Amino acid sequence: MKLTALLLLCLTPLVAGGACTGDGGTCETVFSSVTCTEVGGNEESCLHATGTCENVCERANVAGYDSPCLCTKEFQGCTGAECDYEVSCGGTIDCADFDNAVHCSVSKGCKWDPSADPTDTVEASIFTVDDYMTYLVNQGVSNEEDFLVSSSPQSMALQFIAVDDGLDLGVPNGDLDTTEGYEFITRYALAVLYYATLGPRQWSFELNFLQATPVCSWYSVLQYADSSTEVRGVVCSRNATSNPTALYLTNQNARGSLPAELGFITSLVVIDLDNNRIAGPIPESYQNLSNLTNFFAQGNRLNGTFPAWILGLPNIKNINFSTNYLTGTVPVTAGDSQSLVGLAIDNNLLTGSIQDTFDTSVRVGMTDLEQFYIENNLFTGALGPNFMKDLTTLQYLDISDNDFTGSVEAHLFELSQLLVLDMHDNGFDTLPTEFPENNNLTLLALQKCSFSSQPIPPSISNLGGLKHLDLSQNALTGEIPSSIGMTNLTYLFLAQNDFVANPIPSWIDDLTSLQELSLKSTQRTGTIPSFLGDLSDLVILDLDDNDLVGTIPHSLGNLGELHILLLNRNNLVSVIPDTFTSLSSLRLLYLDANELIQGDLDVLFCSNPDFEDKPVIVASCDVCDLASSECCAVCCQGTSECNTGFHVPDLDPIWQLGYNRVHFTFGREDFLDKDRVP
Ligand SMILES: *[C@@H]1O[C@H](CO)[C@@H](O)[C@H](O)[C@H]1NC(C)=O
Ligand SMILES: *[C@@H]1O[C@H](CO)[C@@H](O)[C@H](O)[C@H]1NC(C)=O
Ligand SMILES: *[C@@H]1O[C@H](CO)[C@@H](O)[C@H](O)[C@H]1NC(C)=O
Ligand SMILES: *[C@@H]1O[C@H](CO)[C@@H](O)[C@H](O)[C@H]1NC(C)=O
Ligand SMILES: *[C@@H]1O[C@H](CO)[C@@H](O)[C@H](O)[C@H]1NC(C)=O
Ligand SMILES: *[C@@H]1O[C@H](CO)[C@@H](O)[C@H](O)[C@H]1NC(C)=O
Ligand SMILES: *[C@@H]1O[C@H](CO)[C@@H](O)[C@H](O)[C@H]1NC(C)=O
């Protein structure tokens, strides 16, 4: 009998440990009499315990995350009938020689014949790299060709798991669906991911990948200056047997591409890869991630065809692929997704019609959809009469900046929970003739469409909750209806339409919440009403390019919040009111191309100590002396239009401020296990 090495192992029942407690800082009492297999294991790995673990938690317990506690104390030994015998690699043991043997086993990382009689002699030898590779290929995890190139992520991960890995996992006896097989494959797949996204050279933060600990410890807790914290890396669910449920790699400077191997970590619920430089396609193998609820890969360089099958994953809720280079269409089956809550595929290169995909009279899904962002793609065609019809859960709908055509259907305004409807910058040509009643809608953006030869329907007042209304840059006709004066408006842009010439409407006086008003190029006549000076929240007042006459009212000097005042391209004859010295927030003032504007810009603004930041002023060369005045940016001769060139796009509010998109938030609390009580 050759007995080169043996180890006594102790099997003590697991005593359920308390979760880490303590808020922030060091975690106290972890679990009292839990025993651990591996030093460096965490609570879950203590299921296979053989040593005594100290009551020490090495990681800060971040509220809401229940970061795993690390066992730090070595195996203490044992005696008696509970003992097992283990052979180290290269050894042989005759189990019959030991009275107390329950069964024999070999230490991790050793190869042995599982069919050998465990009460008889067991021989153990060392696994070769080829043994590991054969397993990976036979299980369909990686392709043999991937191992031919020594610099491939697969080759490097193989070298790690077969040779360098301090955890010394052997080649599993069972398939991927055994505990041993799954642990192995998860470790390998995460190593492939690490190499495939250039982890060793490029990752911004050390996330403890490839450490000699279970993968559930491959993470870091980032602490920010404001003492908030964030978990990055692998997160395991607390009460499962250490299977990874989330992968957070946001802002990690990850490059390269996504490996197919990740699709084998089927316990993943969340993948968050936001804001990296990962290129290439989303591998088809991710179709196997049937527990995935959230997949975020916003702000990368993903290309290839839009992986529509992701919408078919049985549990998928939130998808955010904003700002990538995805191409292709959104097939009709996407509209059958049952579980989807939020879809953000904006800022890609997607094409085709979506009318049939989101025709809710035909498609069966989308019943939980709340956010739908597809703006800034190349979609075409009409939306049709049943687009998103009766989707009573929908709150945000942004289809702006595409090439959609046809009518804006009234039924969209019947969506009872809709808060934001942004359809701007498309080829829509017809507004509803009658808006239905809806007080929930707060933002309606229909600028830069192709509405022409039709007036604004007076029934727009049925949208009484609107705060933001933009109908600019169309060719709307008729009178501006007084019903548009909805009292909650903070933002009203009617610029660049073909309305009937008329004075600035008096109902604007009632819009006391107004912050941004543009009546640029709307054929306004008469004088500038002094009541505009009552709108004390105004930040932008744009009256550019009208037929306004008379003087500039002194009351405008009351607008202490005003940043942008555009009075250019009118027929004003006025001295700049000396009340303007109170406009200390002013950043931009256009006065050019009027009949006659007089005043001393330096005295009013540029030499005035109340103006810490000098406003940018464009005016006639009569008042705006480029040579001597600090605050004059451009001067124009007479009434000629000079302020239409280079200066305008940079500083014109339509260009500069636009519409601030309302982001939807995917709170992390949404996808952490509900039973992970902070
Ligand atoms: C684990 O979590 C599930 C719910 O996710 C719960 O039903 C179960 O009781 C938990 N098991 C233990 C041992 O805590
Ligand atoms: C998927 O989730 C279910 C329910 O939580 C769980 O029972 C199952 O083990 C998970 N699948 C994997 C592969 O982890
Ligand atoms: C998905 O899983 C099945 C069963 O485990 C496997 O046969 C198949 O190859 C996997 N598909 C992909 C694309 O990886
Ligand atoms: C995707 O991007 C990669 C890397 O930039 C490039 O090599 C590949 O050709 C691109 N594929 C497609 C389909 O555009
Ligand atoms: C507005 O939303 C609330 C709940 O958010 C809902 O109860 C109400 O019916 C909606 N109002 C309308 C007019 O649909
Ligand atoms: C206007 O806003 C107030 C305060 O947010 C709100 O209570 C009110 O219902 C809104 N008006 C309409 C018509 O929605
Ligand atoms: C997509 O994800 C990023 C990062 O989490 C987030 O900033 C952005 O708001 C998300 N998109 C939408 C539409 O909310």
Side-chain angles (χ1 to χ4, degrees), residues 349-371:
L349 302 165
L350 301 168
T351 52
S353 163
I354 57 168
Q355 174 167 354
D356 294 338
T357 308
F358 300 107
D359 179 334
T360 47
S361 72
V362 178
R363 310 314 312 182
V364 297
M366 302 285 163
T367 48
D368 293 332
L369 192 67
E370 292 175 8
Q371 300 104 359

Short mmCIF file of all heavy atoms in Angstrom, two decimals, residues 349-371:
data_model
loop_
_atom_site.label_atom_id
_atom_site.label_comp_id
_atom_site.label_asym_id
_atom_site.label_seq_id
_atom_site.Cartn_x
_atom_site.Cartn_y
_atom_site.Cartn_z
N LEU A 349 -28.84 52.48 -35.10
CA LEU A 349 -29.00 52.64 -36.55
C LEU A 349 -30.13 51.75 -37.05
O LEU A 349 -30.05 51.15 -38.11
CB LEU A 349 -27.68 52.27 -37.25
CG LEU A 349 -26.46 53.09 -36.82
CD1 LEU A 349 -25.17 52.43 -37.29
CD2 LEU A 349 -26.55 54.51 -37.36
N LEU A 350 -31.18 51.64 -36.25
CA LEU A 350 -32.26 50.71 -36.56
C LEU A 350 -33.16 51.28 -37.65
O LEU A 350 -33.38 52.49 -37.74
CB LEU A 350 -33.06 50.43 -35.29
CG LEU A 350 -32.21 49.82 -34.17
CD1 LEU A 350 -32.96 49.82 -32.85
CD2 LEU A 350 -31.80 48.40 -34.55
N THR A 351 -33.69 50.38 -38.46
CA THR A 351 -34.45 50.79 -39.64
C THR A 351 -35.80 50.08 -39.71
O THR A 351 -36.11 49.22 -38.90
CB THR A 351 -33.67 50.45 -40.92
OG1 THR A 351 -33.30 49.06 -40.87
CG2 THR A 351 -32.43 51.28 -41.06
N GLY A 352 -36.56 50.44 -40.72
CA GLY A 352 -37.80 49.73 -41.02
C GLY A 352 -39.01 50.28 -40.29
O GLY A 352 -38.93 51.24 -39.53
N SER A 353 -40.13 49.65 -40.54
CA SER A 353 -41.39 50.06 -39.93
C SER A 353 -41.59 49.32 -38.61
O SER A 353 -41.11 48.21 -38.44
CB SER A 353 -42.53 49.71 -40.88
OG SER A 353 -43.76 49.74 -40.19
N ILE A 354 -42.28 49.95 -37.68
CA ILE A 354 -42.60 49.26 -36.43
C ILE A 354 -44.11 49.15 -36.25
O ILE A 354 -44.59 48.76 -35.20
CB ILE A 354 -41.97 49.96 -35.21
CG1 ILE A 354 -42.42 51.42 -35.13
CG2 ILE A 354 -40.45 49.86 -35.25
CD1 ILE A 354 -42.07 52.06 -33.78
N GLN A 355 -44.81 49.50 -37.30
CA GLN A 355 -46.28 49.53 -37.19
C GLN A 355 -46.86 48.17 -36.78
O GLN A 355 -47.66 48.08 -35.85
CB GLN A 355 -46.88 49.96 -38.53
CG GLN A 355 -48.39 49.88 -38.57
CD GLN A 355 -49.00 50.59 -39.76
OE1 GLN A 355 -48.30 51.24 -40.54
NE2 GLN A 355 -50.30 50.48 -39.91
N ASP A 356 -46.42 47.12 -37.45
CA ASP A 356 -46.97 45.79 -37.13
C ASP A 356 -46.45 45.27 -35.79
O ASP A 356 -47.14 44.54 -35.09
CB ASP A 356 -46.64 44.80 -38.23
CG ASP A 356 -47.33 45.16 -39.53
OD1 ASP A 356 -48.35 45.88 -39.46
OD2 ASP A 356 -46.86 44.74 -40.61
N THR A 357 -45.23 45.66 -35.46
CA THR A 357 -44.63 45.17 -34.21
C THR A 357 -45.39 45.65 -32.99
O THR A 357 -45.58 44.91 -32.03
CB THR A 357 -43.17 45.66 -34.11
OG1 THR A 357 -42.50 45.32 -35.31
CG2 THR A 357 -42.46 45.02 -32.93
N PHE A 358 -45.82 46.88 -33.03
CA PHE A 358 -46.47 47.44 -31.84
C PHE A 358 -47.96 47.72 -32.08
O PHE A 358 -48.56 48.60 -31.47
CB PHE A 358 -45.71 48.69 -31.37
CG PHE A 358 -44.28 48.36 -31.03
CD1 PHE A 358 -43.24 48.76 -31.85
CD2 PHE A 358 -43.98 47.58 -29.91
CE1 PHE A 358 -41.92 48.43 -31.55
CE2 PHE A 358 -42.68 47.24 -29.61
CZ PHE A 358 -41.64 47.66 -30.43
N ASP A 359 -48.52 46.96 -32.98
CA ASP A 359 -49.97 47.00 -33.21
C ASP A 359 -50.61 46.14 -32.12
O ASP A 359 -50.65 44.92 -32.20
CB ASP A 359 -50.28 46.44 -34.60
CG ASP A 359 -51.78 46.44 -34.89
OD1 ASP A 359 -52.58 46.39 -33.92
OD2 ASP A 359 -52.14 46.47 -36.08
N THR A 360 -51.07 46.79 -31.10
CA THR A 360 -51.53 46.04 -29.92
C THR A 360 -52.87 45.35 -30.14
O THR A 360 -53.33 44.61 -29.28
CB THR A 360 -51.62 46.96 -28.69
OG1 THR A 360 -52.29 48.15 -29.06
CG2 THR A 360 -50.23 47.30 -28.18
N SER A 361 -53.49 45.57 -31.30
CA SER A 361 -54.71 44.81 -31.57
C SER A 361 -54.35 43.42 -32.09
O SER A 361 -55.20 42.54 -32.13
CB SER A 361 -55.59 45.55 -32.58
OG SER A 361 -55.01 45.49 -33.87
N VAL A 362 -53.09 43.24 -32.48
CA VAL A 362 -52.66 41.95 -33.04
C VAL A 362 -51.63 41.28 -32.14
O VAL A 362 -51.73 40.10 -31.82
CB VAL A 362 -52.06 42.15 -34.44
CG1 VAL A 362 -51.56 40.83 -35.00
CG2 VAL A 362 -53.07 42.79 -35.37
N ARG A 363 -50.64 42.04 -31.69
CA ARG A 363 -49.58 41.44 -30.88
C ARG A 363 -50.11 41.21 -29.46
O ARG A 363 -51.01 41.93 -28.99
CB ARG A 363 -48.33 42.33 -30.81
CG ARG A 363 -47.81 42.80 -32.14
CD ARG A 363 -47.69 41.77 -33.24
NE ARG A 363 -47.04 40.52 -32.89
CZ ARG A 363 -46.84 39.54 -33.75
NH1 ARG A 363 -47.25 39.65 -35.01
NH2 ARG A 363 -46.25 38.44 -33.38
N VAL A 364 -49.51 40.24 -28.79
CA VAL A 364 -50.12 39.81 -27.53
C VAL A 364 -49.38 40.30 -26.29
O VAL A 364 -49.84 40.10 -25.18
CB VAL A 364 -50.19 38.27 -27.46
CG1 VAL A 364 -51.09 37.74 -28.56
CG2 VAL A 364 -48.80 37.65 -27.57
N GLY A 365 -48.25 40.96 -26.47
CA GLY A 365 -47.43 41.29 -25.29
C GLY A 365 -47.54 42.73 -24.85
O GLY A 365 -48.56 43.39 -25.05
N MET A 366 -46.46 43.21 -24.23
CA MET A 366 -46.31 44.61 -23.87
C MET A 366 -47.30 45.08 -22.81
O MET A 366 -47.46 46.28 -22.61
CB MET A 366 -46.46 45.53 -25.11
CG MET A 366 -45.50 45.24 -26.22
SD MET A 366 -43.85 45.83 -25.81
CE MET A 366 -42.87 44.96 -26.97
N THR A 367 -47.91 44.16 -22.12
CA THR A 367 -48.96 44.60 -21.21
C THR A 367 -48.41 45.29 -19.96
O THR A 367 -49.18 45.86 -19.20
CB THR A 367 -49.84 43.41 -20.79
OG1 THR A 367 -48.95 42.35 -20.42
CG2 THR A 367 -50.72 42.96 -21.92
N ASP A 368 -47.11 45.20 -19.72
CA ASP A 368 -46.53 45.88 -18.56
C ASP A 368 -45.63 47.05 -18.96
O ASP A 368 -44.96 47.64 -18.12
CB ASP A 368 -45.67 44.90 -17.73
CG ASP A 368 -46.51 43.82 -17.08
OD1 ASP A 368 -47.70 44.09 -16.81
OD2 ASP A 368 -46.00 42.71 -16.86
N LEU A 369 -45.60 47.36 -20.25
CA LEU A 369 -44.63 48.34 -20.74
C LEU A 369 -44.85 49.73 -20.13
O LEU A 369 -45.96 50.25 -20.15
CB LEU A 369 -44.73 48.43 -22.27
CG LEU A 369 -43.61 49.20 -22.96
CD1 LEU A 369 -42.29 48.46 -22.81
CD2 LEU A 369 -43.93 49.39 -24.44
N GLU A 370 -43.79 50.29 -19.58
CA GLU A 370 -43.88 51.63 -19.00
C GLU A 370 -43.04 52.66 -19.75
O GLU A 370 -43.41 53.81 -19.84
CB GLU A 370 -43.43 51.60 -17.53
CG GLU A 370 -44.40 50.83 -16.65
CD GLU A 370 -43.92 50.67 -15.22
OE1 GLU A 370 -42.89 51.28 -14.85
OE2 GLU A 370 -44.57 49.90 -14.48
N GLN A 371 -41.86 52.22 -20.22
CA GLN A 371 -40.97 53.17 -20.90
C GLN A 371 -40.57 52.63 -22.26
O GLN A 371 -40.18 51.46 -22.37
CB GLN A 371 -39.70 53.41 -20.08
CG GLN A 371 -39.94 53.96 -18.71
CD GLN A 371 -39.77 52.91 -17.64
OE1 GLN A 371 -39.49 51.75 -17.92
NE2 GLN A 371 -39.96 53.30 -16.41
#
